[in-house]
């Protein structure tokens, strides 16, 4: 089987690793590009969100590379993402491609369905269940390692001496990771990557502005969708922290009753799970405020349903907590130059607020 | 005390229930009236640009009520069916939060959480109790009001199942409240009103399925009187509310899993029912500008219509749908269907000797 | 264009005699207009220029600088700041002391001219902004992102359609008796509604006033949504020349709206002020290359980097055949090699 999957952030390394180790052939979707986007925009409904369009375009490109089956995740709503797989399949078929989209819904909600689908890929590969689970675990280790590398890069970039050094080190670290086979290799690659990032020459900065990034998971994690906002902020000398990682970093590193705690934090503003990460994002923003961050950037796809609710309540959060939030709604027309201007102005504003404003000279 | 009920969103579905419940508790009940230009403008002012038009209208209606009411009833709709994952759209789920954050000087917002998935009857009782508590009403009176409200709601449903459009059935309910008539008697009389006649008679050249949310199909301001217009073009229309719940439920099989949104499932299933059973000559899907679920449902319905070989038109309703533009599109669609039908019948007559 | 005429008047007011004191230059290169402002050490405006960009930022900046040679002696330019959407390329070109986004530049300019202002409305050719100031510090801002319905180009288009010179727009609007309501969140819809109203026989004045109202309504509904607008309100940008728009804002906001002198070159003014600060009012040596760059030939070429799968498009910006800046690469390896 030539299997492809949605491309999101650095995770494609781990998915490809899992599929190849299983004995199938992974067709990694080509790096996302303007071509990907225009393919998606052409065939997707106008008011579908940008992740839907990018992923559709990316599937079409993977099919060109020989993919014949697509694996993706499902969901139970009410965010639209849980329904992507079904609609993607229907659109691809209406375009004449004989392709199947296998949607994995939550193992907790539909265990029978999950195992039936998993079994299909296991049997075709001829591996035992224990081996199958071992490989899943191994891939998960890689997801965690990749996220750890990315997290460290956010810390290093605002202090780097020469622009781009961190990005180069991170790309190199990903390359090393892509070569890894066994879990031992993965751990070694992780250590090497971390060392590379720690080796980036730094300059002394007495104060770094801190900005939290919250928002819809796909545009948060996939740099193509968010115009590389992490790098833009890092290059402006800002430390940024991202609320959501695929490996669920926040979940493991915060209190045990994670969901309940988030719900409590958000409850004065949003008092109901609204799908996606809507409620969570309100809570994350409030937490950033409590942790002394200077502001929050809120990323969402244009027409994203849960995030519109979030955007509607953020003015109240800003007002009551005196905590600036910059909403960035992304669609296929969003230009990098405009975003750059808004981010620079936001950073200036936060710096003024902090009283740390020294007209920093030339921004480049 | 005066309780306001916004005349949009679930109004077309549950107004008789709301109205009866609050009246029986002894409150004065007012609605925000039909959507008007000022109502819409207010709504646009209070909502974020990216919001969909129905939510903008809702904000406008609530702002209108805020001027005169002591309390506004905006329940937080989560689940009302036995499907675990059939909720309402996230904007319904977060509606009270959005209203609270966006409209200044709101009176008391009565916004109980409506989740009837597991224990529908018990859930309703608790719901009634919660609303009663918030308004200082206790004891049996609350339950009596609920029972009466459910009875009126059942009557309303019956009227709709007989072919009245929801606004027409609501008019019957209002008449009942104004004149103290029984709910049953005026109904049969109402059935012979001119529109019903036109809609019911067989001499129509064209029958159309017009599917969409009740709050876009029956809001004559925002859709520029779409249904009346079709009626005046001599078109017989079927809306989702005219398909019985049992028939709708059958159509769930069209998708590997249901969508997550109550109204969208109804729209999709109604469309599929009409297509599969060949009840219509063509299908119009009325979508709301900026509506997320519609973006998905519209594509599904389009593909469904294509597969069953029916002409399909998607009509997007937004804050400046020009009446002229709408007329042109509707007329062109109907003309096209008429031509097609003419050709087909000639063709069919000669080839097969019978209509499809 | 009225803006140009006005700017010319202002420039005439400021006088054209050569200046000998240290001066600071602000350059604001936007998509529609390019402005240059010269100030002295005390912040007084000595000279302004309002030019059309026509999509050729480098040429128009050279043109502006050429005009400056007639005004001053290049020895005394003690600091240069750039702003606007082409601030980076311009900054590289002249070697600016400070490159700032236009929000900050506008806010700095207003903080100097009207320190107690709490709201800035800025409407230019293709963009519009709202800046909320409290105690002279930006606390919130918003920009239009995609839509042009709240910008000057919307008015330009409609003026063209109506056959009215844009300079006469404001005066016409003020003479309106029954302003027509023109619907439309979007320029396209507004245009069709306007045509419809014309066909119904409304007077030109009423339609023009209706267009002003529509622009202001779009601005308030899109950009100012959810923002707390308090007076004093400062209105600037090219569109501020239009008295009809100013009145429409005053009526919509129920606040007095102040149009400052130099309203159409405030971004450049702010950039000049920033240059003054950054050079310690001329005490630190400027990085500015000098006015001789008007004779240099600047060129941008692009190439695709094949160093990794990202395939970044690298732009090489060169002066007289020598690369002075590169950008477009994610990893920064090209940016590092210049000169």
């Amino acid at each position: 089987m030539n299997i492809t999957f949605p491309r999101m952030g650095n995770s494609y390394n781990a998915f490809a690793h899992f599929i190849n180790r299983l004995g199938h052939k992974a067709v990694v979707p080509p790096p996302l590009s303007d071509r990907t986007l225009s393919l998606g925009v052409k065939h997707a409904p106008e008011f579908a969100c940008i992740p839907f369009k990018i992923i559709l375009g990316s599937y079409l490109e993977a099919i060109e590379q020989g993919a014949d089956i697509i694996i993706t995740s499902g969901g139970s709503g009410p965010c639209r993402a849980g329904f992507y797989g079904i609609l993607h399949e229907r659109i691809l078929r209406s375009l004449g491609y004989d392709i199947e989209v296998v949607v994995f819904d939550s193992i907790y909600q539909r265990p029978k369905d999950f195992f039936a689908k998993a079994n299909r890929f296991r049997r075709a590969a001829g591996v035992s269940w224990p081996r199958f689970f071992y490989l899943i675990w191994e891939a998960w280790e890689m997801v965690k390692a990749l996220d750890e590398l990315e997290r460290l890069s956010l810390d290093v970039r605002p202090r780097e001496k020469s622009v781009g050094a961190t990005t180069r080190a991170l790309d190199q670290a990903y390359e090393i990771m892509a070569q890894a086979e066994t879990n031992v290799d993965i751990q070694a690659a992780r250590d090497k990557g971390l060392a590379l990032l720690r080796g980036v020459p730094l300059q002394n900065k007495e104060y770094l502005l801190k900005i939290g990034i919250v928002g819809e998971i796909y545009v948060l994690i996939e740099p193509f969708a968010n115009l590389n906002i992490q790098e833009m902020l890092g290059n402006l000398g800002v430390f940024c922290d991202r609320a959501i990682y695929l490996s669920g970093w926040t979940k493991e590193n915060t209190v045990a009753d994670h969901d309940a705690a988030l719900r409590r934090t958000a409850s004065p503003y949003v008092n109901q799970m609204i799908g996606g990460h809507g409620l969570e994002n309100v809570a994350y923003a409030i937490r950033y405020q409590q942790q002394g961050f200077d502001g929050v950037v809120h990323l969402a796809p244009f027409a994203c349903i849960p995030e519109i609710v979030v955007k509607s309540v953020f003015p109240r959060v800003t007002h009551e907590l005196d905590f600036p939030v910059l909403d960035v709604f992304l669609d296929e027309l969003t230009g990098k130059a405009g975003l750059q201007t808004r981010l620079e102005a936001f950073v200036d504003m936060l710096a003024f607020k902090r009283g740390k404003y020294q007209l920093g000279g030339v921004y480049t | 005390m005066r309780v306001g009920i916004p005349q949009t969103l679930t109004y077309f579905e549950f107004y008789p229930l709301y109205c009866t419940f609050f009246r029986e508790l002894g409150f004065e009940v007012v609605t925000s009236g039909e959507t008007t230009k000022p109502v819409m403008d207010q709504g646009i002012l209070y909502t974020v640009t990216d919001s969909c038009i129905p939510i903008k209208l809702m904000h406008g209606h609530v702002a209108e009520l805020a001027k005169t009411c002591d309390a506004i009833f905006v329940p937080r709709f989560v689940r009302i069916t036995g499907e675990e994952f059939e909720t309402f759209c996230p904007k319904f789920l977060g509606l009270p939060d959005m209203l609270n954050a966006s409209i200044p000087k709101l009176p008391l917002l009565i916004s109980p959480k409506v989740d009837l998935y597991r224990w529908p009857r018990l859930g309703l009782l608790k719901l009634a109790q919660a609303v009663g508590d918030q308004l200082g009403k206790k004891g049996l009176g609350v339950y009596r009001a609920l029972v009466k409200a459910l009875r009126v709601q059942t009557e309303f449903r019956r009227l709709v199942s007989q072919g009245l459009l929801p606004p027409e059935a609501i008019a019957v309910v209002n008449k009942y409240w104004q004149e103290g008539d029984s709910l049953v008697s005026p109904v049969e009389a109402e059935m012979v009103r001119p529109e019903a006649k036109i809609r019911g008679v067989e001499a129509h050249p064209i029958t159309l399925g017009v599917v969409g949310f009740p709050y876009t199909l029956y809001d004559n301001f925002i859709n520029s009187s779409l249904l009346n217009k079709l009626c005046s073009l001599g078109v017989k229309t079927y809306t989702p509310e005219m398909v019985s719940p049992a028939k709708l439920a059958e159509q769930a099989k069209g998708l590997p899993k249901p969508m997550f949104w109550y109204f969208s499932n109804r729209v999709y299933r109604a469309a599929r029912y009409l297509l599969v059973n060949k009840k219509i000559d063509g299908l119009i899907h009325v979508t709301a500008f900026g509506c997320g679920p519609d973006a998905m449902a519209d594509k599904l319905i389009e593909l469904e219509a294509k597969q069953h070989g029916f002409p399909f038109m998607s009509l997007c309703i937004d804050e400046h749908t020009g009446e002229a533009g709408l007329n042109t599109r509707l007329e062109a669609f109907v003309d096209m269907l008429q031509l097609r039908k003419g050709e087909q019948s000639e063709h069919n007559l000669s080839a097969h000797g019978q209509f499809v | 264009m009225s803006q140009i005429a006005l700017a010319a008047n202002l420039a005439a007011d400021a006088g054209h005699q050569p200046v000998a004191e240290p001066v600071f230059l602000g350059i604001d290169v936007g998509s529609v207009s390019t402005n240059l402002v010269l100030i002295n050490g005390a912040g007084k405006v000595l000279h302004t220029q309002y030019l059309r960009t026509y999509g050729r930022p480098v040429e128009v900046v050279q043109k502006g600088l050429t005009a400056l040679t007639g005004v001053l002696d290049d020895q005394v330019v003690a600091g240069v700041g750039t702003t606007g959407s082409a601030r980076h390329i311009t900054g590289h070109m002249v070697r600016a002391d400070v490159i700032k986004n236009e929000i900050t530049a506008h806010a700095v300019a207003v903080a100097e001219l009207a320190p107690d202002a709490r709201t800035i409305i800025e409407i230019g050719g293709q963009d519009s902004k709202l800046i909320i100031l409290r105690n002279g510090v930006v606390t919130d801002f918003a920009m239009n992102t995609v839509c042009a319905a709240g910008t000057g180009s919307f008015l330009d288009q409609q003026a063209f359609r109506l056959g009215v010179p844009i300079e006469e727009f404001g005066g016409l609007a003020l003479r309106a008796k029954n302003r027509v309501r023109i619907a439309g969140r979007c320029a396209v819809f507004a245009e069709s509604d306007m045509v419809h109203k014309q066909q119904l026989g409304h007077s030109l004045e009423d339609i023009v006033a209706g267009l002003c109202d529509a622009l202001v309504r779009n601005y308030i509904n899109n950009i100012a949504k959810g923002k707390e607008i308090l007076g004093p309100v400062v209105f600037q940008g090219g569109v501020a020349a239009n008295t009809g728009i100013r009145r429409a804002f005053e009526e919509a906001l129920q606040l007095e709206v102040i149009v400052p002198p130099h309203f159409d070159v405030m971004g450049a003014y702010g950039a000049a002020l920033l240059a003054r600060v950054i050079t310690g009012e001329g005490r630190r040596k400027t990085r500015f290359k000098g006015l001789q760059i008007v004779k240099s030939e600047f060129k941008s070429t692009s190439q695709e980097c094949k160093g990794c799968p990202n395939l970044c498009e690298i732009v090489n910006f060169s002066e007289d055949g020598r690369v002075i800046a590169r950008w477009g690469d994610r990893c920064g390896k090209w940016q590092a090699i210049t000169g």
Side-chain angles (χ1 to χ4, degrees):
Chain A
M1 285 193 247
N2 297 330
I3 304 173
T4 193
F5 46 85
R7 190 178 166 119
M8 175 160 104
N10 56 30
S11 65
Y12 63 89
N13 293 295
F15 288 129
H17 177 263
F18 173 70
I19 293 165
N20 288 330
R21 291 272 280 165
L22 200 56
H24 296 300
K25 184 174 179 289
V27 181
V28 178
L32 305 173
S33 64
D34 291 342
R35 177 171 182 266
T36 320
L37 184 57
S38 29
L39 275 174
V41 168
K42 189 168 158 202
H43 299 294
E46 186 187 352
F47 287 111
C49 54
I50 191 94
F52 184 97
K53 294 175 182 173
I54 293 177
I55 294 173
L56 180 61
S58 178
Y59 284 161
L60 286 163
E61 288 185 326
I63 292 170
E64 286 171 4
Q65 313 250 322
D68 50 30
I69 191 160
I70 296 168
I71 295 181
T72 185
S73 64
S76 51
C79 161
R80 291 183 281 179
F83 218 77
Y84 281 3
I86 293 170
L87 193 52
H88 277 142
E89 183 180 64
R90 294 208 169 178
I91 291 174
L92 291 171
R93 284 176 171 250
S94 79
L95 295 173
Y97 297 104
D98 183 24
I99 191 118
E100 191 185 352
V101 181
V102 181
V103 182
F104 282 89
D105 282 306
S106 161
I107 188 167
Y108 303 111
Q109 285 162 5
R110 305 175 77 180
K112 249 174 89 183
D113 176 79
F114 185 93
F115 281 107
K117 284 170 179 163
N119 196 25
R120 203 177 132 193
F121 293 97
R122 183 194 65 86
R123 244 194 3 241
V127 301
S128 67
W129 275 114
R131 171 85 179 150
F132 187 78
F133 283 115
Y134 171 78
L135 291 176
I136 289 185
W137 171 80
E138 201 179 73
W140 187 246
E141 286 297 306
M142 192 187 272
V143 169
K144 285 198 292 188
L146 289 164
D147 280 351
E148 206 178 328
L149 291 168
E150 191 169 3
R151 286 183 56 79
L152 181 61
S153 79
L154 295 184
D155 213 357
V156 174
R157 189 175 290 113
R159 302 168 207 266
E160 68 190 2
K161 257 194 186 132
S162 68
V163 177
T166 313
T167 305
R168 279 199 299 277
L170 185 62
D171 285 349
Q172 216 179 329
Y174 286 164
E175 256 167 57
I176 297 171
M177 186 62 79
Q179 308 303 320
E181 291 244 332
T182 63
N183 184 42
V184 177
D185 299 344
I186 293 172
Q187 301 310 327
R190 184 194 67 147
D191 293 341
K192 247 188 238 167
L194 292 176
L196 272 174
L197 283 164
R198 291 204 184 97
V200 170
L202 300 182
Q203 50 179 319
N204 240 343
K205 285 200 176 170
E206 70 179 69
Y207 187 82
L208 286 186
L209 283 174
K210 291 193 286 184
I211 293 181
I213 310 181
V214 304
E216 188 274 338
I217 183 165
Y218 187 84
V219 296
L220 211 54
I221 293 185
E222 175 48 53
F224 176 76
N226 64 36
L227 308 168
N228 248 313
I229 196 163
Q230 285 177 186
E231 280 177 39
M232 287 165 89
L233 283 170
N235 292 342
L236 288 173
V238 173
F239 168 74
C240 51
D241 185 69
R242 199 170 82 197
I244 302 170
Y245 285 85
L246 200 58
S247 58
W249 182 87
T250 24
K251 204 162 198 157
E252 287 165 20
N253 289 275
T254 46
V255 281
D257 61 336
H258 175 77
D259 288 345
L262 284 178
R263 230 171 292 173
R264 264 198 311 280
T265 313
S267 63
Y269 303 98
V270 174
N271 201 4
Q272 167 69 37
M273 296 303 268
I274 51 174
H277 287 83
L279 177 137
E280 290 85 342
N281 280 325
V282 175
Y284 292 143
I286 295 170
R287 281 205 187 153
Y288 280 129
Q289 190 264 345
Q290 290 163 350
Q291 290 165 10
F293 274 63
D294 295 279
V296 155
V297 173
H298 174 218
L299 290 178
F302 179 73
C304 170
I305 325 174
E307 297 305 333
I308 285 173
V309 179
V310 175
K311 184 180 178 181
S312 309
V313 302
F314 265 153
R316 228 186 105 203
V317 176
T318 300
H319 185 75
E320 288 176 13
L321 303 179
D322 185 26
F323 189 55
V325 176
L326 180 71
D327 291 300
V328 177
F329 272 54
L330 300 146
D331 67 7
E332 58 264 33
L333 301 173
T334 310
K336 191 154 181 155
L339 181 60
Q340 175 81 29
T341 302
R342 281 195 290 161
L343 289 180
E344 284 180 19
F346 189 61
V347 169
D348 280 350
M349 181 181 114
L350 298 183
F352 266 121
K353 192 161 176 274
R354 234 332 122 162
K356 293 281 175 192
Y357 199 75
Q358 301 155 340
L359 293 160
V362 182
Y363 274 142
T364 39
Chain B
M1 184 160 163
R2 180 185 286 178
V3 178
I5 295 173
Q7 193 160 332
T8 180
L9 300 189
T10 57
Y11 167 89
F12 300 99
E13 190 91 349
F14 296 117
Y15 172 72
L17 181 107
Y18 304 159
C19 164
T20 312
F21 181 72
F22 288 110
R23 274 173 183 268
E24 286 294 304
L25 285 180
F27 297 113
E28 184 191 349
V29 176
V30 293
T31 70
S32 49
E34 288 187 11
T35 307
T36 58
K37 184 92 192 153
V39 166
M40 184 178 78
D41 285 349
Q42 271 183 119
I44 293 171
L45 185 68
Y46 287 128
T47 42
V48 295
T49 329
D50 330 55
S51 201
C52 59
I53 186 71
I55 290 296
K56 289 183 180 176
L57 291 180
M58 183 61 176
H59 279 69
H61 280 277
V62 169
E64 193 63 29
L65 288 169
K67 293 173 190 161
T68 57
C69 293
D70 308 300
I72 303 175
F73 187 56
V74 190
R76 190 194 292 274
F77 272 91
V78 182
R79 288 183 289 197
I80 58 170
T81 62
E83 276 284 345
E84 185 178 0
F85 299 120
E86 188 183 71
T87 60
F88 283 74
C89 146
K91 288 180 212 157
F92 276 73
L93 304 185
L95 185 59
D97 302 315
M98 287 204 276
L99 292 168
N100 266 323
S102 311
I103 302 179
K105 294 191 205 113
L106 270 186
L108 175 68
L109 215 55
I110 312 170
S111 51
K113 179 165 156 178
V114 184
D115 190 347
L116 306 177
Y117 159 59
R118 236 175 257 281
W119 315 103
R121 280 158 205 277
L122 186 67
L124 267 177
L125 283 180
K126 283 190 161 171
L127 203 57
Q129 204 172 20
V131 176
D133 283 351
Q134 205 177 349
L135 297 170
K137 298 278 176 185
K138 285 198 178 8
L140 270 183
V142 175
Y143 300 116
R144 252 186 243 123
L146 177 66
V147 170
K148 175 94 187 266
L150 287 171
R151 199 172 66 76
V152 174
Q153 178 69 17
T154 311
E155 283 301 311
F156 163 76
R157 277 278 159 82
R158 195 175 61 77
L159 298 177
V160 172
S161 74
Q162 287 173 350
L164 258 69
L165 294 178
E168 296 161 353
I170 286 172
V172 176
V173 173
N174 281 336
K175 211 168 152 213
Y176 160 76
W177 276 112
Q178 273 159 19
E179 298 171 13
D181 275 351
S182 88
L183 255 175
V184 194
S185 59
V187 175
E188 318 307 333
E190 284 293 327
M191 278 302 288
V192 289
R193 91 231 107 82
E195 302 97 295
K197 253 190 195 161
I198 292 185
R199 218 179 283 125
V201 174
E202 59 292 339
H204 296 298
I206 298 288
T207 307
L208 275 182
V210 183
V211 296
F213 303 134
Y215 45 89
T216 49
L217 286 188
Y218 307 124
D219 184 329
N220 278 332
F221 173 83
I222 198 65
N223 68 26
S224 309
S225 304
L226 172 75
L227 292 174
N228 294 343
K229 221 154 264 166
L230 284 170
C231 189
S232 67
L233 289 172
V235 173
K236 179 176 169 177
T237 50
Y238 283 120
T239 65
E241 282 65 36
M242 296 175 190
V243 184
S244 76
K247 285 177 183 153
L248 287 177
E250 270 172 33
Q251 298 302 327
K253 59 176 182 274
L255 290 171
K257 68 176 178 189
M259 286 184 269
F260 313 126
W261 317 290
Y262 172 79
F263 282 120
S264 295
N265 275 328
R266 182 198 293 179
V267 169
Y268 168 76
R269 289 170 191 173
R272 193 164 190 278
Y273 170 80
L274 296 170
L275 292 167
V276 170
N277 293 291
K278 306 198 190 309
K279 296 276 186 196
I280 47 176
D281 302 302
L283 185 65
I284 295 179
H285 181 209
V286 181
T287 64
F289 187 87
C291 170
D294 261 352
M296 315 295 274
D298 188 57
K299 191 74 191 179
L300 287 172
I301 293 172
E302 179 197 320
L303 294 174
E304 210 60 74
K306 202 166 141 192
Q307 193 197 329
H308 289 92
F310 282 97
F312 171 78
M313 178 165 75
S314 172
L315 212 58
C316 187
I317 297 298
D318 64 18
E319 59 231 61
H320 33 66
T321 305
E323 216 166 322
L326 186 90
N327 281 345
T328 314
R329 289 197 65 188
L330 286 181
E331 279 169 28
F333 190 64
V334 171
D335 285 349
M336 188 267 287
L337 289 176
Q338 252 153 0
L339 280 172
R340 189 182 133 111
K341 203 169 179 181
E343 275 170 23
Q344 234 174 33
S345 51
E346 276 166 32
H347 178 75
N348 285 343
L349 277 172
S350 54
H352 310 286
Q354 64 174 55
F355 293 110
V356 181
Chain C
M1 295 284 134
S2 69
Q3 290 92 331
I4 292 175
L6 268 160
N9 288 340
L10 282 169
D13 289 346
H16 276 273
Q17 68 276 35
V19 273
E21 50 183 341
V23 291
F24 303 91
L25 172 62
I27 309 174
D28 177 357
V29 190
S31 49
V32 173
S33 74
T34 293
N35 313 320
L36 286 82
V37 166
L38 269 186
I39 60 168
N40 65 12
K44 184 170 175 286
V45 175
L46 305 174
H47 169 83
T48 69
Q49 276 183 55
Y50 184 106
L51 306 163
R52 288 262 157 177
T53 308
Y54 294 119
R56 292 191 291 268
V58 172
E59 280 171 41
V60 77
V61 168
Q62 281 184 312
K63 193 174 142 200
L65 291 177
T66 310
L68 276 191
T69 44
V71 184
L72 51 66
D73 183 3
D74 76 353
Q75 301 308 318
V76 293
V77 173
V80 178
T82 61
T83 186
S85 49
R87 61 188 175 281
H88 290 290
I89 189 171
T90 313
H92 285 301
M93 181 183 158
V94 302
R95 234 195 286 132
D97 298 291
V98 57
I99 301 175
K100 260 300 158 201
N101 64 83
E102 47 275 36
I103 302 272
T104 305
H106 278 284
V108 166
V110 169
E112 179 85 10
L113 284 182
D116 55 346
R118 291 197 286 179
T119 303
I120 305 172
I121 294 170
E122 200 271 342
I123 305 184
Q126 270 183 14
D127 56 355
S128 45
K129 309 176 189 73
L130 172 71
I131 306 171
I132 305 292
L133 295 167
R134 296 291 181 263
N135 304 316
V137 173
V138 179
T139 59
D140 200 0
F141 66 88
M143 291 169 73
N144 71 326
T145 38
V146 182
C147 182
T151 69
S153 64
F154 167 75
L155 283 187
D156 281 342
Q157 278 169 29
Q158 307 318 322
F160 177 74
R161 263 201 153 274
L162 290 169
V164 177
I166 188 78
E167 296 81 12
E168 291 171 19
F169 231 69
L172 274 171
L174 293 184
R175 286 201 295 277
K177 294 204 178 60
N178 300 301
R179 289 138 80 180
V180 174
R181 190 192 153 92
I182 291 169
R185 164 194 56 208
C186 181
V188 181
F189 287 102
E191 181 162 318
S192 64
D193 198 41
M194 185 189 81
V195 173
H196 178 65
K197 296 282 152 62
Q198 259 182 305
Q199 285 163 347
L200 292 178
H202 290 282
S203 79
L204 186 63
E205 286 88 352
D206 291 348
I207 288 178
V208 167
L211 283 170
C212 293
D213 289 344
L215 183 140
V216 167
R217 205 166 44 239
N218 277 323
Y219 182 94
I220 289 174
N221 281 340
N222 290 314
I223 296 162
K225 179 155 294 162
K227 311 284 183 207
E228 191 188 27
I229 297 187
L230 301 175
V233 177
V234 173
F235 178 25
Q236 57 199 43
V239 173
N242 188 321
T243 43
I245 299 281
R246 177 181 173 181
R247 189 191 61 174
F249 266 118
E250 287 184 331
E251 286 177 10
L253 299 173
Q254 293 293 310
L255 287 169
E256 191 200 349
V257 172
I258 303 155
V259 176
H262 319 302
F263 62 89
D264 55 344
V265 293
M266 289 291 270
Y269 177 55
L273 287 170
L274 284 165
R276 187 180 62 152
V277 176
I278 215 98
T279 55
E281 299 187 6
R283 286 188 300 277
R284 266 187 296 280
K285 195 176 175 318
T286 178
R287 299 173 73 240
F288 180 49
K289 283 180 194 165
L291 292 174
Q292 74 275 8
I293 61 161
V294 299
K295 296 189 202 86
S296 304
E297 194 192 343
F298 292 94
K299 231 168 116 179
S300 290
T301 53
S302 63
Q303 74 196 74
E304 194 172 73
C305 169
K306 298 203 166 59
C308 78
N310 285 319
L311 304 179
C312 298
E313 193 195 346
I314 315 297
V315 179
N316 303 308
F317 185 57
S318 60
E319 178 180 0
D320 294 331
R322 195 172 56 92
V323 177
I324 55 168
R326 287 190 161 103
W327 57 83
D329 50 336
R330 274 185 64 224
C331 68
K333 74 174 177 190
W334 291 96
Q335 285 173 36
I337 21 177
T338 52

